[in-house]
């Protein structure tokens, strides 16, 4: 078992003389009151002894002891009481519990609590008065004065430690705040009454292209921006609302503390929130800057999309309404046939648009069911061909199929791949003059293991090279108005389906000559 001496060493509890004032104190008090032994126990707030300095004991005495004093018995009573304990024989005291094994024999005892301002810091003990049977009142007075001195120095030390800790904590919090401000994903500028930058964070450098240095004017970096109200009307041309506030504080509308500015040429949009702070009597402004270009673009796309959908649905609906009305006055069979064909076309257009919108909404909400199974491309292509022939394009275009029967099967969601094929074939027909042929070809990819490639080819209007990359984006339709037939969702859906199957989709096209869309899937 670990010896007491070892234990106290590792706990820094038992310190004979480490050179500090408190460690030498028991020795001094011992001499003053003629005691054989003296000890100073310093306790934490819970009453646990944290430091124990002794005087009068040899190393060999210490190593004989089985444990260090734990603050029970007489020592515990002393800690709890407000007054000193002085007895001729320790064992005569009702609270005495005896000594740990190996402890030197002690008889007379003088214990003084170390207290100050109602707080207990530990005890001073003197034992075995050498020149008399017991310690005197005079001894007690001397030790109490010493205890007062110890209490004062412990109190000072703890106050110093607490203060140092507090300073450290404040420094730590300040550092954290600084790191937070520096790395937050909005621009932050603290400026003085003259609009001069005091500090700015990293994001302002990203927003303005350069870091704003202390002393720069905020207005200088915003010179290229137009100030707009929320309704889009111009606020003050080239002048910062911060300046207006200074010139005519009463006319400044508080609701305009959040303002959107637009770059005069690039269209970049920034939202600025200005929060005035009164700090030590000096007025400063905290300006929070967010780049809202993307959000505003999305808003524009959203509203364009809504008006497009409304338009695209209203068009066929009006036609269907007129055609239905005309049914009542139709006389000849030929007229009836042509109305029926037109009705079919318009409802198909609407069904395709609504189908794509629904599919995209489910993609966005992550609720598209993906249910893969073993499929064969020939089955899928035949199914696509049947649906194509039943559609309005079945009469206007011819679909040719070149699929090798020996192609291996693949693992895919049957209905999603059918939707992919239908979208590509219907686009091929939509964007080709009537009577033109369309081809679906499927073959094994050369040089790549286990992949089937499917190709949909048309001889239609084609896609200009610079627009080919964008056509897989949601809501993208070619700038050429002649080809604005759908909602710009079909190819985005195709790309999503191919991505789900970990495949690739691409287009090659020549304007005016035709297009070829290719996608590949891995075989079983
Ligand atoms: P939409 O539903 O409007 O057809 P898509 O996402 O399917 O939307 O297609 C996006 C745009 O790409 C279309 O507006 C069209 O201009 C062009 N496009 C798609 N397929 C073809 C094709 N086979 N030939 C020519 N242009 C095409």
């Amino acid at each position: 078992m670990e010896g007491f001496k070892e234990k106290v060493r590792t706990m820094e509890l038992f310190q004979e003389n480490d050179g500090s004032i408190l460690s030498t104190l028991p020795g001094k008090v011992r001499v003053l009151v003629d005691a054989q032994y003296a000890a100073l126990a310093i306790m934490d707030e819970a009453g646990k002894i944290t430091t124990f300095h002794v005087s009068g004991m040899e190393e060999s005495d210490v190593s004989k002891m089985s444990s260090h004093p734990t603050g029970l018995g007489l020592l515990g009573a002393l800690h709890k009481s407000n007054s000193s304990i002085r007895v001729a024989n320790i064992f005569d005291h009702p609270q005495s519990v005896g000594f740990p094994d190996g402890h030197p024999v002690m008889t007379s005892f003088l214990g003084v609590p170390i207290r100050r301002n109602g707080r207990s810091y530990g005890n001073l003990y003197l034992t075995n008065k050498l020149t008399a049977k017991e310690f005197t009142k005079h001894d007690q007075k001397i030790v109490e004065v010493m205890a007062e001195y110890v209490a004062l120095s412990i109190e000072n030390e703890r106050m110093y430690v607490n203060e140092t800790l507090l300073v450290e904590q404040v420094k730590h919090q300040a550092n954290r705040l600084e790191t937070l401000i520096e790395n937050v994903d909005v621009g932050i500028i603290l400026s003085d009454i003259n609009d001069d930058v005091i500090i700015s964070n990293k994001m302002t450098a990203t927003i303005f292209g350069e870091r704003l240095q202390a002393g720069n004017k905020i207005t200088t970096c915003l010179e290229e921006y137009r100030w707009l109200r929320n309704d889009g009307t111009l606020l003050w041309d080239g002048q910062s609302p911060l300046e207006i506030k200074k010139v005519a504080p009463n006319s400044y509308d508080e609701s305009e503390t959040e303002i959107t500015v637009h770059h005069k040429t690039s269209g970049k949009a920034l939202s600025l929130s200005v929060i005035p702070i009164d700090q030590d009597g000096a007025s400063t402004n905290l300006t929070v800057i967010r780049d809202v270009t993307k959000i505003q673009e999305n808003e524009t796309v959203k509203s364009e999309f809504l008006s497009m959908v409304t338009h695209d649905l209203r068009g066929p609906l009006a036609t269907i309404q007129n055609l239905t009305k005309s049914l009542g006055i139709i006389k000849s069979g030929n007229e009836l046939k042509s109305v029926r064909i037109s009705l079919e076309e318009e409802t198909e257009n609407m069904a395709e648009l609504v189908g794509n919108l629904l599919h995209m909404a489910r993609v966005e909400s992550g609720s598209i069911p993906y249910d893969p199974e073993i499929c064969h491309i020939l089955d899928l292509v035949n199914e696509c061909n049947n649906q194509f022939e039943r559609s309005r394009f079945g009469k206007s275009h011819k679909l040719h199929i070149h699929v090798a029967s020996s192609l291996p099967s693949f693992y895919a969601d049957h209905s999603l791949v059918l939707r992919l094929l239908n979208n590509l074939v219907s686009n091929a027909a939509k964007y080709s003059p009537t009577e033109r042929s369309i081809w679906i070809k499927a073959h094994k990819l050369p040089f790549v293991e286990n992949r089937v490639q499917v190709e949909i080819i048309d001889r239609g209007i084609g896609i200009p090279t610079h627009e080919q990359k964008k056509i897989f984006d949601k809501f993208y339709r070619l700038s050429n108005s002649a080809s604005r037939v759908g909602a710009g969702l079909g190819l985005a859906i195709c790309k999503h389906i191919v991505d789900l199957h970990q495949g690739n989709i691409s287009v090659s096209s020549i304007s005016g000559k035709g297009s070829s869309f290719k996608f590949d899937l891995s075989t079983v």
Side-chain angles (χ1 to χ4, degrees):
M1 199 180 113
E2 204 182 7
F4 166 53
K5 196 160 165 240
E6 282 309 307
K7 263 193 245 165
V8 293
R9 263 211 190 117
T10 49
M11 293 169 76
E12 287 185 352
L13 192 71
F14 199 101
Q15 295 160 359
E16 173 73 23
N17 187 349
D18 63 4
S20 72
I21 296 175
L22 289 185
S23 70
T24 56
L25 194 102
K28 287 182 181 135
V29 187
R30 189 165 67 87
V31 175
L32 283 175
V33 296
D34 280 335
Q36 185 181 359
Y37 303 111
L40 167 66
I42 298 173
M43 297 167 177
D44 63 15
E45 285 174 13
K48 194 168 159 268
I49 297 176
T50 55
T51 314
F52 200 76
H53 298 294
V54 291
S55 171
M57 259 186 217
E58 295 299 322
E59 277 233 354
S60 52
D61 295 331
V62 173
S63 50
K64 276 184 216 146
M65 280 189 262
S66 60
S67 68
H68 60 79
T70 51
L72 294 172
L74 191 52
L75 303 193
L78 187 61
H79 181 62
K80 284 186 200 115
S81 88
N82 273 337
S83 48
S84 310
I85 297 177
R86 186 162 54 86
V87 286
N89 192 333
I90 289 174
F91 289 101
D92 292 344
H93 193 278
Q95 301 279 333
S96 169
V97 290
F99 297 108
D101 287 348
H103 197 281
V105 178
M106 294 180 176
T107 49
S108 53
F109 175 87
L110 171 58
V112 176
I114 303 168
R115 296 181 72 84
R116 226 184 110 75
N117 296 329
R119 293 185 66 179
S120 184
Y121 294 113
N123 301 312
L124 253 174
Y125 318 112
L126 286 306
T127 52
N128 295 3
K129 171 96 176 167
L130 293 171
T131 50
K133 276 190 145 193
E134 60 182 303
F135 292 96
T136 63
K137 273 193 180 164
H138 181 69
D139 293 336
Q140 185 176 332
K141 199 78 223 148
I142 293 173
V143 181
E144 280 171 356
V145 170
M146 298 306 273
E148 180 74 25
Y149 159 75
V150 175
L152 189 69
S153 61
I154 296 175
E155 195 179 65
N156 278 344
E157 189 186 299
R158 290 197 182 166
M159 257 162 57
Y160 172 75
V161 169
N162 283 345
E163 199 181 308
T164 319
L165 269 178
L166 208 69
V167 171
E168 281 304 310
Q169 270 174 8
V170 170
K171 266 194 206 155
H172 179 67
Q173 294 293 356
N175 279 345
R176 276 186 56 184
L177 193 67
E178 226 168 81
T179 317
L180 195 83
I181 290 178
E182 180 64 3
N183 296 303
V184 78
D185 65 350
V186 290
I188 291 184
I189 301 174
L190 195 68
S191 58
D192 63 16
I193 189 86
N194 301 316
D195 254 3
D196 289 339
V197 173
I198 302 169
I199 47 165
S200 71
N201 72 346
K202 213 159 45 183
M203 193 60 187
T204 53
T206 313
I207 292 172
F208 294 115
E210 58 177 320
R211 184 118 191 179
L212 302 187
Q213 300 301 333
N216 284 164
K217 288 229 177 295
I218 301 189
T219 35
T220 319
C221 34
L222 290 167
E223 259 166 13
E224 292 302 306
Y225 288 81
R226 247 192 290 270
W227 300 80
L228 298 182
R229 289 174 206 275
N230 285 343
D231 63 4
T233 56
L234 207 62
L235 188 68
W236 297 288
D237 198 12
Q239 201 172 19
S240 144
L242 314 177
E243 278 183 21
I244 294 289
K245 190 179 180 190
K246 273 174 284 163
V247 176
N250 296 336
S251 70
Y252 183 74
D253 181 355
E254 281 302 328
S255 66
E256 282 170 353
T257 47
E258 183 164 354
I259 263 163
T260 309
V261 295
H262 290 259
H263 196 270
K264 287 175 186 163
T265 50
S266 73
K268 187 171 187 165
L270 303 178
S271 153
L272 274 77
S273 301
V274 187
I275 306 153
I277 308 170
D278 256 346
Q279 210 181 34
D280 304 330
S283 236
T284 34
N285 276 321
L286 180 77
T287 309
V288 180
I289 306 170
R290 280 180 310 132
D291 188 336
V292 290
T293 319
K294 235 340 356 85
I295 298 172
Q296 296 225 332
E297 272 172 15
N298 286 347
E299 284 300 312
T300 317
V301 169
K302 231 194 240 168
S303 65
E304 272 179 8
F305 167 70
L306 274 180
S307 58
M308 182 264 301
V309 169
T310 323
H311 171 265
D312 285 4
L313 283 177
R314 201 188 287 142
L317 257 181
T319 317
I320 291 169
Q321 225 171 8
N322 289 337
L323 288 170
T324 324
K325 272 187 203 151
S326 70
L327 281 175
I329 47 168
I330 280 172
K331 303 251 164 23
S332 77
N334 273 351
E335 267 181 306
L336 190 65
K337 192 177 165 199
S338 118
V339 169
R340 191 176 51 81
I341 291 171
S342 304
L343 269 174
E344 264 173 23
E345 271 179 20
E346 295 303 337
T347 36
E348 253 180 58
N349 269 340
M350 274 181 64
E352 186 186 301
L353 179 64
V354 172
N356 278 347
L357 280 172
L358 276 177
H359 188 100
M360 203 32 132
R362 285 160 83 191
V363 167
E364 308 261 272
S365 67
S367 60
I368 281 284
Y370 174 61
D371 201 3
E373 57 186 309
I374 307 272
C375 310
H376 197 282
I377 192 65
L378 194 58
D379 299 338
L380 278 156
V381 169
N382 283 336
E383 220 172 310
C384 169
N385 186 29
N386 290 341
Q387 292 187 5
F388 182 81
E389 280 178 355
R390 287 199 299 270
S391 79
R392 65 188 190 280
F393 300 120
K395 284 139 208 126
S396 56
H397 294 77
K398 178 91 190 104
L399 185 60
H400 305 274
I401 293 166
H402 296 277
V403 177
S405 55
S406 58
L407 278 181
S409 310
F410 53 89
Y411 198 61
D413 184 307
H414 183 95
S415 58
L416 288 182
V417 178
L418 183 60
R419 181 168 203 111
L420 164 68
L421 279 171
N422 282 343
N423 270 355
L424 292 176
V425 169
S426 125
N427 271 357
K430 254 197 288 183
Y431 302 111
S432 301
T434 47
E435 307 296 328
R436 293 270 168 94
S437 287
I438 296 161
W439 291 264
I440 302 185
K441 295 182 179 176
H443 47 258
K444 270 191 86 169
L445 258 185
F447 315 118
V448 186
E449 288 242 319
N450 304 335
R451 289 199 90 77
V452 169
Q453 187 177 68
V454 184
E455 200 173 348
I456 290 89
I457 306 161
D458 66 63
R459 294 279 172 263
I461 59 173
I463 303 160
T465 318
H466 69 278
E467 293 197 272
Q468 287 174 17
K469 258 197 200 143
K470 301 183 205 152
I471 54 171
F472 295 101
D473 290 351
K474 212 167 45 170
F475 306 130
Y476 191 82
R477 301 186 300 177
L478 291 201
S479 40
N480 161 14
S481 59
S483 65
R484 287 180 166 239
V485 180
L489 284 175
L491 288 179
I493 290 171
C494 291
K495 168 112 179 58
H496 179 258
I497 295 173
V498 175
D499 286 348
L500 261 183
H501 291 85
Q502 273 137 34
N504 306 292
I505 185 163
S506 61
V507 61
S508 51
S509 179
I510 300 174
S511 230
K513 295 236 178 277
S515 311
S516 152
F517 285 83
K518 290 183 191 140
F519 66 87
D520 59 69
L521 298 165
S522 64
T523 57
V524 181

